[in-house]
Amino acid sequence: MKDLKSLEVWFVTGSQYLYGEETLQQVAEHSQIIAKSFNDTSLIPVSIVFKPTVKTPEEIYNVCIEANTAKNCIGIIAWMHTFSPAKMWISGLKILQKPLCHLHTQFNSDIPWKEIDMDFMNLNQSAHGDREFGFIMTRMRLRRKVIVGHWQDPKVLDKINVWTRAAAGWNDWQGAKFVRFGDNMRYVAVTDGDKVEAEMKFGYSVNTHGIGDLVKVIGEVTDAEVDKLLQEYKDSYKLADSLQIGNEKYQSLIEAARIELGLQYFLEHGNFKGFTDTFEDLHGMTQLPGIGAQRLMAAGYGFAGEGDWKTAALVRAMKVMGSGLQGGNSFMEDYTYHFNPDNQMVLGSHMLEICPSIAHGKPSCEIHPLGIGGKADPVRLVFNVSGGTALNASVIDMGNRFRLLVNEVEAVAPVHELPKLPVARVLWKPLPDMATGCAAWILAGGAHHTCYSQNLTSEHLEDFAHMAGIEIVFIDRETRLREFKNELCWNEVYYHLNIK
């Protein structure tokens, strides 16, 4: 997965020449100390790069231009150590294309009661310098993250951590390519959408390659490559007896490995960050990619079934955001319900393709009939998922805008064996409760496909949506249907009046 430390967030401090060289030198020293502290802590996953204090409109404009063109720069953290007249920032902020975080802090934690004088006050003016800076961004209607607190406070570091991870996910979408093998599942509405608008809004492109293009590459995979991957399967998973060498389904395992290697080659050489396929378009393939899709997701690629390119892209972004964190992110589908009045739950799964990054324990490599698609029985990884805090997220094309819908959930460890269910699966309780959570999801037009996350929070996705400039709607412990329906109505009016 992506090494987030290779990405840079620039720490830019604002001031002005009014206070003299001695004060400006202290401002620079303090800024360097803060930037170094951020860069050295393990709590922030990216590299924090100190930039010289900006004191004029020209310096501000130049650092924004530089940030726009710097390949590794994924955003700016701005802080006003002293008062920085905000009209100086207009030209720079107008052209800034990278995400912006406004850190409202000050160098000292406490007021030095016995020593404080006007020199101290002139130097440490964040309390009103940041308000001036905040006004101009609000006046310009700019989206940004505002973090308040002392720069050494763990809560502040955690919020910076969240924002930088969102910025990494957003950066990863810029110029990204996703491939569709075939079209989306016939007649399905929510998995379709406006790919042109998505490229303009999100920065990634989605283009279709015929399944024959993939079949050709699969056919070029060598036996030696297949043998090496088969050994990896044996070492990594509990291999079903029927898939053992010499047994009746061993050839199916060989074909599954060949498909995975072909997919991997196609993605690597096409510089794709994710893909989607559909069981309705498999001409020339022996079986639907099961274990191949699962393992490629675990390697960091985005994926969604049935032509759902929006979810494939979201899975990729969320994997980047969660890089290095405990737990995983996976393509998911709400499949069936447990409506027991005392214990209502959703069983999430898919026909084959759930990412083993969310698995509890060692997955089992098995083969079972699929029942649809008209192809040979596909090989897949089967596993349960542990309990804990999680969420489901979905991107929806609303026609005049994209909506990111997030439902916080409580995953539940399975209490019963599922011996006849031959797929990976997870149980969860939607918040605030089953009836409200499901009704709110449906009212918001939520898709049946999602990205299920064990390691991201609503705040990660809130920051991400603000960077993208799209609507975000939450379903959580505080959701009440009456207020939720009102929120959807208000949003409809807002986005109708603010189409860009």
Side-chain angles (χ1 to χ4, degrees):
M1 197 55 243
K2 198 175 187 73
D3 178 17
L4 298 188
K5 205 64 181 177
S6 66
L7 304 175
E8 297 177 355
V9 167
W10 291 1
F11 189 74
V12 178
T13 305
S15 187
Q16 59 178 317
Y17 281 109
L18 177 66
Y19 307 107
E21 277 303 320
E22 183 179 349
T23 296
L24 288 175
Q25 184 177 344
Q26 288 179 283
V27 167
E29 290 172 357
H30 290 172
S31 300
Q32 285 178 296
I33 290 170
I34 294 175
K36 184 178 186 304
S37 175
F38 286 167
N39 192 53
D40 291 345
T41 179
S42 61
L43 298 176
I44 298 175
V46 303
S47 295
I48 305 297
V49 177
F50 165 79
K51 288 292 175 179
T53 308
V54 289
K55 306 167 291 295
T56 67
E58 293 76 19
E59 291 175 352
I60 293 167
Y61 184 86
N62 288 338
V63 78
C64 291
I65 283 284
E66 187 184 357
N68 287 343
T69 57
K71 182 179 179 181
N72 290 337
C73 177
I74 64 170
I76 286 177
I77 296 176
W79 169 50
M80 305 303 110
H81 193 317
T82 65
F83 197 78
S84 179
K87 287 171 67 176
M88 295 196 306
W89 286 84
I90 293 174
S91 60
L93 292 175
K94 280 176 64 177
I95 55 93
L96 182 64
Q97 298 170 354
K98 299 291 176 77
L100 178 62
C101 173
H102 180 190
L103 179 60
H104 184 40
T105 190
Q106 63 184 27
F107 186 72
N108 57 296
S109 173
D110 300 332
I111 293 174
W113 304 107
K114 293 182 179 180
E115 286 81 26
I116 188 169
D117 56 19
M118 284 311 299
D119 287 339
F120 181 93
M121 297 280 275
N122 285 332
L123 174 63
N124 298 283
Q125 297 189 55
S126 305
H128 70 292
D130 279 327
R131 282 172 167 78
E132 168 76 355
F133 184 55
F135 162 75
I136 201 62
M137 288 187 288
T138 298
R139 176 67 176 81
M140 295 173 69
R141 310 306 196 261
L142 298 180
R143 292 175 179 263
R144 75 280 191 189
K145 173 90 169 184
V146 178
I147 299 175
V148 179
H150 191 255
W151 54 276
Q152 292 176 312
D153 186 337
K155 293 179 181 177
V156 169
L157 296 175
D158 182 61
K159 286 188 174 295
I160 296 173
N161 166 39
V162 168
W163 180 82
T164 57
R165 288 182 176 278
W170 176 246
N171 178 76
D172 189 74
W173 265 9
Q174 307 313 301
K177 295 164 58 182
F178 294 88
V179 58
R180 300 171 82 201
F181 296 112
D183 206 343
N184 69 309
M185 184 177 173
R186 287 187 282 274
Y187 300 114
V188 177
V190 76
T191 57
D192 215 335
D194 189 337
K195 297 190 291 295
V196 174
E197 182 65 23
E199 186 164 353
M200 292 191 297
K201 194 69 178 174
F202 297 135
Y204 64 74
S205 64
V206 182
N207 287 289
T208 297
H209 282 257
I211 199 70
D213 296 341
L214 175 59
V215 170
K216 181 179 183 296
V217 175
I218 292 172
E220 295 170 350
V221 173
T222 67
D223 291 343
E225 291 172 318
V226 170
D227 290 342
K228 182 179 178 181
L229 184 55
L230 289 175
Q231 187 60 50
E232 187 174 336
Y233 288 169
K234 294 172 187 176
D235 294 341
S236 303
Y237 313 114
K238 294 177 285 187
L239 208 59
D241 289 341
S242 63
L243 295 174
Q244 298 285 348
I245 188 168
N247 290 349
E248 70 271 21
K249 294 295 184 180
Y250 183 65
Q251 186 61 37
S252 295
L253 189 66
I254 292 174
E255 293 302 323
R258 196 176 299 278
I259 289 170
E260 178 182 337
L261 290 166
L263 273 167
Q264 182 179 355
Y265 183 92
F266 196 101
L267 295 171
E268 287 178 352
H269 287 262
N271 197 29
F272 295 108
K273 292 183 176 179
F275 71 103
T276 177
D277 57 28
T278 175
F279 62 89
E280 289 180 326
D281 193 352
L282 296 173
H283 184 70
M285 294 183 66
T286 56
Q287 57 181 270
L288 182 66
I291 189 172
Q294 292 177 293
R295 284 170 48 84
L296 287 167
M297 260 194 291
Y301 287 100
F303 172 81
E306 299 146 23
D308 187 356
W309 51 272
K310 296 188 298 297
T311 302
L314 182 63
V315 169
R316 166 66 185 193
M318 291 175 66
K319 282 185 172 293
V320 171
M321 284 186 257
S323 182
L325 296 178
Q326 186 175 1
N329 293 273
S330 174
F331 168 57
M332 187 58 66
E333 180 173 279
D334 298 62
Y335 226 100
T336 194
Y337 291 146
H338 186 61
F339 266 140
N340 183 302
D342 298 322
N343 190 27
Q344 296 187 344
M345 294 181 290
V346 177
L347 174 61
S349 185
H350 203 250
M351 298 181 298
L352 300 171
E353 312 98 339
I354 300 301
C355 181
S357 67
I358 66 171
H360 177 68
K362 190 174 187 178
S364 174
C365 184
E366 303 177 12
I367 183 169
H368 301 276
L370 184 58
I372 58 176
K375 294 293 180 180
D377 300 343
V379 177
R380 80 292 301 272
L381 299 176
V382 178
F383 51 85
N384 290 323
V385 178
S386 60
T389 301
L391 59 79
N392 277 302
S394 177
V395 173
I396 311 143
D397 187 342
M398 296 295 294
N400 66 335
R401 67 190 185 279
F402 289 99
R403 170 180 287 166
L404 179 57
L405 181 60
V406 180
N407 185 195
E408 297 178 0
V409 305
E410 288 292 336
V412 180
V415 294
H416 300 286
E417 295 296 324
L418 299 166
K420 294 184 178 181
L421 186 61
V423 290
R425 56 273 177 146
V426 56
L427 291 163
W428 68 77
K429 296 176 180 288
L431 296 180
D433 56 69
M434 184 83 158
T436 304
C438 291
W441 189 272
I442 290 171
L443 286 166
H448 55 285
H449 288 170
T450 65
C451 180
Y452 175 87
S453 179
Q454 296 172 319
N455 56 22
L456 298 179
T457 66
S458 291
E459 188 175 2
H460 289 95
L461 296 178
E462 182 178 17
D463 288 350
F464 184 79
H466 284 309
M467 292 170 191
I470 63 171
E471 177 189 14
I472 186 165
V473 177
F474 299 104
I475 305 170
D476 55 23
R477 293 186 186 277
E478 306 304 318
T479 298
R480 301 293 180 267
L481 278 181
R482 182 177 296 170
E483 290 83 356
F484 187 82
K485 287 186 280 189
N486 284 337
E487 179 185 353
L488 296 180
C489 291
W490 299 331
N491 287 3
E492 198 67 48
V493 174
Y494 173 85
Y495 284 97
H496 178 75
L497 296 174
N498 288 274
I499 295 176
K500 293 183 180 178

